Amino acid sequence: MSAPDPSTPAIEVSTLECRYGDTVVLRDVSFTVRRGEIFFVIGGSGCGKSTLLRNLIGLHPPAAGTVKFFGESFADAGEARRRELLRTFGVLYQGGALWSSLTLRENVALPLEEYTPLTAAERDELVALKLAQVGLTGYGDHYPAEISGGMRKRAGLARALALDPAVVFFDEPSAGLDPLTSRSLDELIRQIRDTLGTTCVVVSHELASIFAIADRVLMLDKSAKGVVAEGNPHKLAKPGADARAREFLTRGENQP
């Protein structure tokens, strides 16, 4: 079997249609995410950001179109191969989605128990490493209720990184966080990309995060039921760009 082409995008989406029953939320969505990129999906409430995310990670099958990870279609893969592909990406759900009855150590260990043959001692060692990567050394025995919201997001990220995924999806990572904690999480996302080469796909409407760390953005619009702009957020905020994207990115006050 030949080695994968390093020029192949991390994610390639072609003519995707997302719907719930007869209700079309998004249609004809096409874009690529480059390897090692921090790529934001942005737009106002109800534009389909979370729906697109659910389609990308396999929680809701697309009504039409294809989603490829490193050149391979998730939908066309057999059950065994899909299980292997699931190991190539992690997800940080909004709120962290930690099991409240488990310690942070036990939460982070879950994917290792599910997908690897590691011994308990090997899992403990790897869990300690992942907690250290997100700045939570010494908190392994704490329960989610015993730590702050920002720390819960970091613990959720440690779990998402447990299998060393090539791609990590973030669902509104800054939701409910104060500006300083949100900025700290942005810096952590960039650090993970820079040190591990991880491709990061972030669903968010937070302007501070978008302008701070996004390499490119994909702008969705509720009325259009699809993509209205794609590119560097600083360029899309300037005159001459799509009016809807510019209005979204310049709301409140001028951005640099």
Side-chain angles (χ1 to χ4, degrees):
M1 186 174 180
S2 59
D5 184 352
S7 65
T8 302
I11 303 171
E12 186 174 4
V13 177
S14 301
T15 60
L16 195 71
E17 181 176 301
C18 308
R19 63 165 66 220
Y20 295 109
D22 294 331
T23 303
V24 176
V25 179
L26 295 168
R27 62 165 66 95
D28 197 26
V29 174
S30 298
F31 63 92
T32 60
V33 180
R34 303 166 190 145
R35 298 183 186 215
E37 186 172 37
I38 299 179
F39 185 89
F40 272 61
V41 178
I42 68 173
S45 298
C47 70
K49 299 188 299 296
S50 294
T51 296
L52 177 59
L53 177 63
R54 291 174 62 85
N55 279 254
L56 293 180
I57 64 179
L59 289 179
H60 190 86
T66 59
V67 178
K68 293 182 178 180
F69 291 94
F70 301 97
E72 187 170 357
S73 170
F74 185 81
D76 294 341
E79 184 176 347
R81 182 55 183 158
R82 283 190 188 186
R83 185 174 173 85
E84 293 177 6
L85 287 173
L86 284 173
R87 292 192 54 174
T88 67
F89 60 82
V91 184
L92 174 59
Y93 295 99
Q94 190 173 153
L98 300 172
W99 291 95
S100 60
S101 60
L102 302 179
T103 65
L104 302 191
R105 179 182 289 108
E106 291 167 337
N107 268 283
V108 177
L110 285 175
L112 299 173
E113 295 172 358
E114 176 72 16
Y115 290 99
T116 76
L118 296 176
T119 65
E122 289 170 333
R123 289 197 300 269
D124 286 345
E125 183 177 351
L126 191 52
V127 167
L129 173 63
K130 297 306 174 183
L131 288 173
Q133 284 181 338
V134 299
L136 289 178
T137 297
Y139 286 90
D141 292 327
H142 286 64
Y143 288 89
E146 298 173 334
I147 58 177
S148 68
M151 293 172 75
R152 285 195 291 272
K153 292 285 182 77
R154 287 174 175 264
L157 181 53
R159 185 179 60 189
L161 294 172
L163 297 173
D164 294 325
V167 181
V168 175
F169 294 92
F170 299 80
D171 184 13
E172 298 285 2
S174 298
L177 301 181
D178 64 82
L180 288 178
T181 304
S182 177
R183 187 182 309 160
S184 176
L185 186 58
D186 288 343
E187 293 171 355
L188 179 58
I189 293 172
R190 182 156 49 193
Q191 177 185 340
I192 288 168
R193 189 277 302 272
D194 292 345
T195 58
L196 303 178
T198 307
T199 302
C200 300
V201 178
V202 186
V203 171
S204 179
H205 64 275
E206 299 288 344
L207 291 183
S209 297
I210 293 167
F211 283 101
I213 64 172
D215 294 314
R216 286 190 302 136
V217 301
L218 184 80
M219 172 81 184
L220 302 180
D221 181 76
K222 183 177 182 179
S223 298
K225 295 185 182 294
V227 179
V228 295
E230 180 181 350
N232 180 279
H234 296 274
K235 293 182 179 179
L236 292 178
K238 294 180 179 179
D242 180 90
R244 290 160 294 191
R246 185 165 180 261
E247 180 181 6
F248 179 87
L249 290 167
T250 58
R251 68 190 192 275
E253 60 180 352
N254 292 329
Q255 298 293 328

